[in-house]
Amino acid sequence: RLEAHHPSFLPRDPKMASLVGRTDLKVLVIGSGGREHALCWKIKQSTMLDKLYCLPGNAGIADVAENVGGIAVTDVPKIVEWCKSNQIDFVVVGPEDPLTKGVVDALEAEKILAFGPTKAGAELEGSKAFMKDILHKYGVPTATYIRTKSADEAKEYIKKNNGPIVVKASGLCAGKGVLLCQTVDEGLKAIDEIMVDKIFKDSGDEVVVEEFLTGEEASYFALCDGKTAVGFGGAQDHKLSGDGDTGMNTGGMGAYSPAHILTKEMEERIMKEVMIPTVEGMAKEGCPFKGVLFAGLMIKDGQIKTLEHNVRFGDPECQVVMSRLKSDLLKTLVYAAEGRFSELPALEWDDRTALLVVMAAKGYPGSYPKGTPINKVEDATKLADTNVFHAGTGRDGSQLVSTGGRGLRVTTIG
């Protein structure tokens, strides 16, 4: 049963002037991580750009864009007001939180074009239960599951399945809401933690309990214009904190693109079996999806299963994908936002491999010190085909310092 999570879809105003062909665009990127640094770095190269801002940005982004402080990425009214005051033409939304709060709807209501899904479309990430129902209804391969708001029902399902199982808080949990349970007891404990102890607050009011899948994971992106989708490359990231796939789970310690498992034939199947059915299904549900659709996939013996959909570029996958993109990113995103894929030239890619390693604070993903100095970044960026994308960084006077766990993404291509 597919519940109506979404309001009526807010279509793009046909009276909104097209940005195609302009060379004087004022662009705002929303976000402060390595993903946004990579987006700003690539947008900066566009012939369509006049002025680039990032809200709030970080110490590295300041080298390619003007940072905008004092406004939270979730403060939709203030973001819209700032865009109006600064005559912004186009907004690229990086993280999921402002998308699920309707920042695209609010911007386009003021005739400011934005790349990203509406609040309705962002439910694909904002509610794992909604996402699973979409996949099931429109025949997208995924794990068997139940969605429930009852802890007792969830526990009965876990006991019935008697083995490894996955428990997911349905709402946004900053990437921490998925618990992989090897035994029934671990599954029951996960339900208590999420639904009784409320470790994820109201994001755990509803859970998805699903089949435990094995195989090789990969990430794949598609740009969507509300009607169809265009493949935008794939990557693999590596989650565990230690060398040799050891240690604790993280938001990603490294990534590379193209992923060896994503052959041309496999990419064509992913588009046919996963991406296009999802986009067409969302349109049929009355909430056409535009923006970037990110599929987390499990591939085993040639079979594809969809683990999740996200509604924004992954991090750190975004950095390696952007390193390979040869086409004008800003132009591509404008065409997507205006629903004009039929006019967009084929995307061009560097055939070489892009590789990224995260430099993290000592102790991450556990407790770690902040404000520690970071040196010699400039030396690294002088190396051929190398970028150092910033995430958790700031300035203490002129000194670059760490402000978060995964501070830098050192990225190269070759």
Side-chain angles (χ1 to χ4, degrees), residues 45-93:
Q45 302 167 27
S46 175
T47 58
M48 296 178 68
L49 181 71
D50 176 44
K51 179 70 175 177
L52 181 60
Y53 300 91
C54 190
L55 185 159
N58 63 39
I61 291 173
D63 292 335
V64 291
E66 182 177 326
N67 288 341
V68 179
I71 302 175
V73 298
T74 53
D75 193 337
V76 172
K78 285 188 178 179
I79 290 172
V80 173
E81 189 58 40
W82 186 91
C83 289
K84 289 168 63 179
S85 298
N86 289 273
Q87 298 179 311
I88 297 298
D89 298 296
F90 188 55
V91 178
V92 179
V93 187

Side-chain angles (χ1 to χ4, degrees), residues 115 222-232 271 279 289-292 331-347:
F115 177 80
L223 300 184
C224 310
D225 67 355
K227 301 181 289 293
T228 188
V230 173
F232 200 70
M271 290 300 296
V279 173
F289 185 91
K290 65 184 182 74
V292 61
K331 179 180 179 180
T332 302
L333 300 185
V334 166
Y335 270 79
E338 293 192 0
R340 299 174 63 161
F341 270 159
S342 61
E343 304 168 42
L344 183 67
L347 297 175

Side-chain angles (χ1 to χ4, degrees), residues 136-151:
H136 177 71
K137 183 174 182 178
Y138 293 99
V140 178
T142 190
T144 57
Y145 74 103
I146 64 162
R147 58 178 291 183
T148 180
K149 296 180 179 179
S150 165

Side-chain angles (χ1 to χ4, degrees), residues 137-170:
K137 183 174 182 178
Y138 293 99
V140 178
T142 190
T144 57
Y145 74 103
I146 64 162
R147 58 178 291 183
T148 180
K149 296 180 179 179
S150 165
D152 290 339
E153 182 181 4
K155 289 180 178 181
E156 284 303 312
Y157 185 83
I158 290 168
K159 292 175 184 176
K160 178 182 174 182
N161 282 272
N162 189 34
I165 204 156
V166 181
V167 179
K168 300 179 176 180
S170 181

Side-chain angles (χ1 to χ4, degrees), residues 156-400:
E156 284 303 312
Y157 185 83
I158 290 168
K159 292 175 184 176
K160 178 182 174 182
N161 282 272
N162 189 34
I165 204 156
V166 181
V167 179
K168 300 179 176 180
S170 181
L172 293 179
C173 302
K176 299 180 177 68
V178 177
L179 303 183
L180 306 180
C181 307
Q182 298 297 328
T183 65
V184 170
D185 285 345
E186 287 183 13
L188 299 179
K189 180 182 177 183
I191 295 299
D192 282 337
E193 290 177 345
I194 294 172
M195 304 192 79
V196 179
D197 300 338
K198 295 290 185 182
I199 61 171
F200 302 121
K201 300 180 181 179
D202 58 0
S203 289
D205 288 349
E206 183 173 25
V207 295
V208 170
V209 184
E210 67 179 27
E211 173 189 8
F212 191 107
L213 298 176
T214 60
E216 188 165 357
E217 287 191 51
S219 303
Y220 195 77
F221 299 100
L223 300 184
C224 310
D225 67 355
K227 301 181 289 293
T228 188
V230 173
F232 200 70
Q236 281 187 317
D237 73 334
H238 298 277
K239 299 289 190 186
L240 297 182
S241 60
D243 292 340
D245 279 337
T246 60
M248 297 173 66
N249 201 35
T250 73
M253 297 301 288
Y256 74 100
S257 174
H260 71 96
I261 199 169
L262 297 178
T263 62
K264 183 178 180 181
E265 177 188 19
M266 182 60 71
E267 289 195 19
E268 290 172 352
R269 285 185 54 204
I270 291 167
M271 290 300 296
K272 181 180 179 180
E273 298 176 27
V274 178
M275 301 311 222
I276 290 175
T278 300
V279 173
E280 290 179 346
M282 289 293 283
K284 290 175 182 176
E285 292 298 318
C287 47
F289 185 91
K290 65 184 182 74
V292 61
L293 186 62
F294 166 13
L297 306 167
M298 185 71 79
I299 301 172
K300 184 177 183 180
D301 299 329
Q303 299 301 305
I304 303 165
K305 292 287 184 76
T306 307
L307 298 173
E308 64 177 355
H309 274 315
N310 292 329
V311 298
R312 34 72 188 185
F313 289 106
D315 190 348
E317 297 96 333
C318 179
Q319 292 90 308
V320 288
V321 171
M322 291 302 154
S323 295
R324 294 184 52 235
L325 180 66
K326 296 171 72 174
S327 299
D328 186 318
L329 176 64
L330 179 55
K331 179 180 179 180
T332 302
L333 300 185
V334 166
Y335 270 79
E338 293 192 0
R340 299 174 63 161
F341 270 159
S342 61
E343 304 168 42
L344 183 67
L347 297 175
E348 295 183 30
W349 297 93
D350 192 319
D351 291 333
R352 296 177 296 169
T353 297
L355 177 71
L356 172 156
V357 175
V358 169
M359 289 190 67
K362 186 176 182 179
Y364 175 85
S367 59
Y368 54 86
K370 294 184 179 181
T372 55
I374 303 172
N375 298 310
K376 297 190 176 181
V377 172
E378 295 80 6
D379 293 347
T381 58
K382 292 176 183 176
L383 297 174
D385 298 316
T386 300
N387 281 300
V388 179
F389 295 114
H390 293 232
T393 66
R395 293 278 179 188
D396 183 359
S398 61
Q399 175 66 56
L400 182 69

